[in-house]
Amino acid sequence: MATYKIHPGIGIARLGNSETEFYLAPEIPAGLPHACDTKGNPILSDDLSGPVLVKNFKDKNGRIKRQAARFQVFVYDDETPDGRPLKLGDAVEGGGNHGKLIDIQWRVYLANKKASWYEFNTRSGEHGYADNHPRRNASIENRDRLIIDPGPRIINSTNLRHASFDRSGNNVYAATFPPQGLTPYDIDTLGEILTDDNARLLVLGGFGRSGSEKSGPGEPHISHYANNDGWYDDVSDGPVMARLAMYSDQVGAVRYIDVEYPAWVVVGYPRFVPQIHDMITIDEVLYDLFLREFAYDTSLYGRLGSFDCPETVPIQNQTALSQWQASRLTWNKDFKPWFYRDIWPILFRPNEFLYLSNILAQSNFPHDQEQRGTFDPFKLGRTPGHAQKRTSVKSADISPTARDASQGEAFIATQQPLEDQHSDPYRPMRQFLFDLLRRNGEDNEFKLEDKVGSRVHNLPLMPLLCGDNPLTNEVVTKFLRLTDYQLFILKQWAEGRFINEMEQGWIDRKKYPVFFPYPTTPPENGRKLDRGVLSNVLGGAFCPGGELNWIMRNPSIYWTSYRIKADRHVADFLQSAAQANANRQPTSVIEELSFSIDNTLSHNNNFGAGLQPGDLTKYMALPWQADFNECTTNTINITYADWNTINADNDNDQRLKLEEKMWDTLWWPAHRPLQSNELTGFENGKPVTTWTTWSRGIQQTYAGDLKMVEDWWKLGFIIRNPYLSDIDSTPSTGPDNRYYSIERYGSEQLAAPDPQPSAIINPAKNT
């Protein structure tokens, strides 16, 4: 019997202020978006080999195009147990009937609950808010008016292909929107939905408008990075439902089948650096969570002694899952990660941040790959024993590059005893990099110099980025660390238990894009589509974060892996497919919107019942531009790991205060760059760039936050230089031309001449 599912399980739309143009969300890691026509149909290249990639992120007026989240129905049956996209005209079955698919009805419900939710205070509330935790806009008695609730919308692929989440409520629903007259911008819509010619759903979010209802001297004003009473924005999220309509020859009539479970859509702000990965993505956060909490892959993480015969633990069987979780669980030490698929994409990321900020040079200088420090993939990827197959190993090939920065700890730590040089010459280099990584329980450690026998003396632990809470003295998490799964596979690699695909002959060194090591082909099934989409979403730090925050780490919000648990009272069609079949027609749009919602959206959580529209984004900053602007750099007190228990001011302890050490740390460079090369023109057909502050003229202050509300769309998008080949194994020195910012203002858009075919990135390898 066939089953039907919507993929991706969680889709990502993005704000933009262009009223005429949009593009399709990328579905692979660090991929460029896909160009589409006004109906959402992807535009194909001239040779029909693949979609055209977006080169200009702004329209002719310099306004940012919105990103559409695209959803489609997959069928799972005996013929394709891993699923395949369902198309109009395909055979479908369900409810005792079978026939041909003639239409897909989509139901989407977006909302914004930010103004009615609790004030954000770092990690407070991650596992439930205290009774006395303050709410935003606490003085407002009518809390319902603080929720932006346009009501649900229904469209199909035949005669009703577009609907808007505007304040009209489709003329039948009692929508709630902020009062008109907000400063600087009114909010009259949360976006729209439409279907393309293949019955796929596209969800478009709002136009990036934020405004305050407060008036008078000094208004509007912003005084906090996350909580500002009187403000609203048009970020949103909510469930996505689908119903299949088939013509059944069996009964000579149209019959309906409901897709198994809702998907979810999240509207975030623009991805200004689409081709540089965050240090941790939300996909990696969820993959680690599902491994440890949902028995996602028991051949990798499971009961001790069970790896020879991995078990299947149904996530919906809470008793079986609880018994599994209570067992002695561990990682499979026999698992061997692949270097270019699993390891190198992690090690590759910090070096890319050099193109977004020069502050990282102080920590990255001993390791960068441009000058072949300790980040050389051809050394780091060599497996133990592989060198023995070679006739000789030159000593110059074994030692790190001789330059000043590598003559200290890095140089000494990566030297190999003479007797081991031929069997595993680069083990010290691997071990050195792994030892620098921050482990579980070291979130507040800057370096291990104060501990006897520290792994790496007097060097900062990595990643050297802000954690979930470097701001307050409660539940402190100063620095970011990798997920448990990432640390596990990196440990396997450091100890020599890994596979090198080049050594195996699986990939060709001359053709493999070592310095853009991400998948280049479209996802081959629904689960890979789930992961590909979320690989472009920030996975930390969550203070509150980018598109989403720490609520995504809570297993209680999931129905199954990569699928949000939805409150079916607001996430279902009014009548079931069986009722629609009995009535010989589905509920009309008017009836659906008139009668399907009995109560207003809730101001509280009920994880037992499931999430409602707006329940994911309500944790985020209000307005979003404030946190986005301020999350550039942050000064962290690194004097003590337990700094939250030490208060030198309390005793007027001048000696203790003199010992204080501060460190300027970045938050999430690939989401909010500090600096970049800005494209200023072309000389002899090649780009000319200037290294400058990315958000030039917008300071990291409350005044800058207010400026960002109006000018966020003027920021430039940072892309890879199309004149550089992905296959280049010798990257250029310094952050000069690998990435640059384009389209800063509409009047300054620069149209690049077409690069020579031999130099341009192959679009087929970059999709």
Side-chain angles (χ1 to χ4, degrees):
M1 185 69 180
T3 58
Y4 305 93
K5 299 180 181 180
I6 305 169
H7 291 285
I10 304 173
I12 304 297
R14 296 190 183 278
L15 303 171
N17 63 339
S18 173
E19 296 183 358
T20 58
E21 297 185 48
F22 61 93
Y23 51 74
L24 304 177
E27 296 176 344
I28 59 171
L32 286 171
H34 297 170
C36 63
D37 63 21
T38 57
K39 295 181 179 180
N41 300 302
I43 299 174
L44 300 179
S45 59
D46 292 339
D47 61 1
L48 304 181
S49 61
V52 172
L53 301 179
V54 171
K55 297 179 180 179
N56 296 313
F57 292 82
K58 300 184 179 182
D59 63 19
K60 63 182 180 180
N61 297 315
R63 299 186 179 276
I64 293 179
K65 302 173 187 178
R66 288 182 291 173
Q67 173 176 296
R70 185 173 66 180
F71 296 87
Q72 54 189 314
V73 177
F74 279 65
V75 56
Y76 293 78
D77 53 23
D78 293 338
E79 181 181 339
T80 53
D82 291 332
R84 70 180 187 277
L86 186 64
K87 300 178 181 179
L88 292 174
D90 284 355
V92 291
E93 59 179 337
N97 296 296
H98 57 82
K100 181 174 69 174
L101 182 67
I102 60 172
D103 194 6
I104 300 179
Q105 298 172 2
W106 295 94
R107 183 186 194 268
V108 184
Y109 195 167
L110 295 179
N112 177 312
K113 292 183 175 181
K114 286 186 178 183
S116 71
W117 192 236
Y118 292 96
E119 291 185 356
F120 182 82
N121 182 17
T122 65
R123 295 182 63 189
S124 299
E126 182 169 1
H127 301 291
Y129 286 99
D131 292 338
N132 62 349
H133 192 95
R135 295 260 188 173
R136 292 168 176 161
N137 297 291
S139 63
I140 302 298
E141 294 184 5
N142 179 11
R143 307 296 296 177
D144 288 344
R145 82 169 184 86
L146 297 172
I147 296 177
I148 305 178
D149 177 12
R153 297 292 187 270
I154 300 174
I155 59 175
N156 59 32
S157 60
T158 53
N159 60 350
L160 186 63
R161 295 182 56 176
H162 177 271
S164 176
F165 292 98
D166 56 24
R167 63 170 64 237
S168 72
N170 215 27
N171 297 318
V172 292
Y173 183 78
T176 57
F177 269 78
Q180 292 186 317
L182 301 182
T183 306
Y185 301 113
D186 277 337
I187 298 173
D188 296 315
T189 181
L190 291 183
E192 56 201 291
I193 53 176
L194 63 152
T195 53
D196 68 12
D197 292 344
N198 290 310
R200 293 173 294 199
L201 170 74
L202 276 70
V203 181
L204 291 163
F207 293 98
R209 293 173 181 165
S210 300
S212 172
E213 63 178 327
K214 291 189 175 183
S215 60
E219 299 295 348
H221 80 282
I222 291 177
S223 59
H224 194 268
Y225 71 95
N227 309 301
N228 294 283
D229 286 355
W231 279 86
Y232 301 86
D233 66 27
D234 57 359
V235 163
S236 63
D237 68 277
V240 174
M241 282 293 295
R243 172 171 288 173
L244 310 180
M246 65 176 172
Y247 183 79
S248 173
D249 290 327
Q250 180 181 3
V251 295
V254 176
R255 289 291 180 260
Y256 303 96
I257 307 169
D258 278 344
V259 173
E260 182 183 51
Y261 203 83
W264 209 269
V265 63
V266 174
V267 179
Y269 54 74
R271 176 83 174 176
F272 286 101
V273 194
Q275 293 174 286
I276 295 183
H277 246 342
D278 295 300
M279 190 63 67
I280 303 174
T281 70
I282 202 69
D283 168 60
E284 289 163 334
V285 170
L286 297 191
Y287 184 69
D288 177 77
L289 174 72
F290 300 147
L291 282 172
R292 295 182 294 103
E293 296 289 342
F294 291 169
Y296 185 76
D297 184 351
T298 55
S299 68
L300 180 58
Y301 182 81
R303 300 185 212 243
L304 184 66
S306 69
F307 297 120
D308 289 338
C309 186
E311 55 192 320
T312 299
V313 184
I315 187 175
Q316 304 300 331
N317 187 334
Q318 189 56 52
T319 300
L321 188 61
S322 297
Q323 291 175 347
W324 180 82
Q325 292 169 337
S327 305
R328 184 179 177 185
L329 302 175
T330 186
W331 298 99
N332 182 1
K333 299 298 180 60
D334 292 328
F335 173 76
K336 290 185 177 182
W338 294 6
F339 180 75
Y340 287 103
R341 182 193 66 184
D342 303 321
I343 303 300
W344 179 237
I346 300 175
L347 302 178
F348 175 75
R349 296 178 209 182
N351 187 258
E352 296 289 272
F353 288 1
L354 287 173
Y355 301 95
L356 307 174
S357 171
N358 66 4
I359 193 174
L360 290 174
Q362 59 190 322
S363 60
N364 215 35
F365 192 48
H367 312 298
D368 65 85
Q369 62 206 21
E370 272 77 11
Q371 303 197 34
R372 310 316 244 191
T374 51
F375 273 0
D376 185 335
F378 303 111
K379 296 176 181 178
L380 297 176
R382 187 176 299 174
T383 57
H386 183 73
Q388 293 178 321
K389 301 175 184 178
R390 301 174 56 175
T391 56
S392 64
V393 179
K394 298 178 181 179
S395 59
D397 189 38
I398 296 173
S399 301
T401 304
R403 57 191 181 90
D404 292 342
S406 64
Q407 299 307 304
E409 306 285 353
F411 181 83
I412 297 171
T414 55
Q415 298 310 291
Q416 178 76 324
L418 182 62
E419 62 273 17
D420 295 333
Q421 286 186 356
H422 291 286
S423 62
D424 193 4
Y426 302 115
R427 181 186 179 101
M429 189 181 289
R430 299 195 308 267
Q431 194 65 50
F432 170 71
L433 291 180
F434 180 72
D435 285 346
L436 284 174
L437 294 174
R438 186 172 287 104
R439 317 289 171 79
N440 195 354
E442 295 175 349
D443 308 70
N444 297 319
E445 301 276 5
F446 178 69
K447 53 187 176 182
L448 302 180
E449 61 180 350
D450 57 338
K451 294 187 178 181
V452 177
S454 64
R455 300 190 303 270
V456 183
H457 176 66
N458 210 31
L459 287 177
L461 298 179
M462 298 293 164
L464 199 54
L465 297 172
C466 290
D468 289 344
N469 179 20
L471 303 180
T472 72
N473 293 343
E474 298 177 2
V475 200
V476 186
T477 310
K478 293 185 192 178
F479 296 105
L480 186 70
R481 75 170 179 88
L482 301 183
T483 68
D484 289 351
Y485 168 72
Q486 288 176 314
L487 289 172
F488 164 66
I489 61 172
L490 287 168
K491 181 176 176 60
Q492 294 290 94
W493 161 77
E495 295 177 352
R497 294 190 289 269
F498 69 101
I499 295 170
N500 183 312
E501 299 97 309
M502 285 186 185
E503 293 175 0
Q504 299 294 326
W506 301 342
I507 57 177
D508 186 343
R509 174 171 174 169
K510 295 181 180 180
K511 298 180 180 180
Y512 184 77
V514 173
F515 294 99
F516 200 69
Y518 304 114
T520 58
T521 56
E524 53 195 51
N525 56 50
R527 182 45 49 84
K528 290 187 177 181
L529 177 58
D530 293 344
R531 299 196 61 186
V533 167
L534 293 180
S535 67
N536 298 298
V537 178
L538 180 72
F542 292 138
C543 190
E547 302 90 346
L548 297 162
N549 80 340
W550 36 248
I551 189 62
M552 300 300 288
R553 297 190 297 224
N554 189 335
S556 298
I557 72 169
Y558 297 98
W559 180 72
T560 187
S561 54
Y562 293 99
R563 202 164 294 273
I564 299 296
K565 185 177 183 181
D567 183 345
R568 304 307 291 268
H569 290 94
V570 293
D572 273 353
F573 290 90
L574 170 61
Q575 60 178 357
S576 68
Q579 291 171 324
N581 290 334
N583 296 334
R584 298 299 180 95
Q585 62 181 3
T587 306
S588 70
V589 175
I590 299 297
E591 291 173 326
E592 172 74 30
L593 294 177
S594 299
F595 304 111
S596 63
I597 307 297
D598 295 327
N599 300 300
T600 58
L601 295 178
S602 175
H603 297 272
N604 300 298
N605 285 335
N606 185 341
F607 291 160
L611 270 61
Q612 292 188 350
D615 276 353
L616 288 182
T617 54
K618 67 186 180 185
Y619 293 89
M620 309 309 294
L622 180 62
W624 67 266
Q625 291 97 335
D627 181 59
F628 173 80
N629 183 55
E630 292 190 44
C631 279
T632 308
T633 62
N634 186 66
T635 301
I636 298 180
N637 188 321
I638 62 172
T639 312
Y640 307 100
D642 55 349
W643 72 299
N644 53 310
T645 66
I646 298 172
N647 190 343
D649 293 329
N650 187 265
D651 289 328
N652 296 309
D653 191 335
Q654 297 302 313
R655 182 196 62 80
L656 194 60
K657 288 184 68 66
L658 288 174
E659 292 182 1
E660 286 190 345
K661 300 174 185 177
M662 314 300 286
W663 187 270
D664 286 332
T665 310
L666 298 174
W667 284 95
W668 1 276
H671 260 63
R672 176 58 174 87
L674 178 63
Q675 296 162 302
S676 72
N677 274 306
E678 186 172 300
L679 181 65
T680 58
F682 292 87
E683 187 174 308
N684 298 323
K686 296 297 178 70
V688 177
T689 62
T690 299
W691 184 252
T692 186
T693 301
W694 180 67
S695 58
R696 187 172 50 195
I698 303 180
Q699 63 269 42
Q700 196 177 335
T701 63
Y702 295 141
D705 297 348
L706 196 59
K707 182 71 171 173
M708 188 65 77
V709 169
E710 298 190 68
D711 287 357
W712 61 272
W713 61 275
K714 296 179 180 179
L715 300 174
F717 284 77
I718 298 173
I719 65 169
R720 283 175 66 86
N721 183 348
Y723 291 82
L724 295 179
S725 169
D726 283 344
I727 311 300
D728 184 10
S729 61
T730 310
S732 58
T733 58
D736 295 328
N737 60 2
R738 288 283 292 282
Y739 293 87
Y740 52 62
S741 175
I742 59 173
E743 305 170 303
R744 181 170 181 79
Y745 300 103
S747 60
E748 297 177 5
Q749 291 188 54
L750 297 166
D754 290 334
Q756 295 299 317
S758 60
I760 194 169
I761 295 174
N762 183 349
K765 289 190 172 296
N766 200 32
T767 58

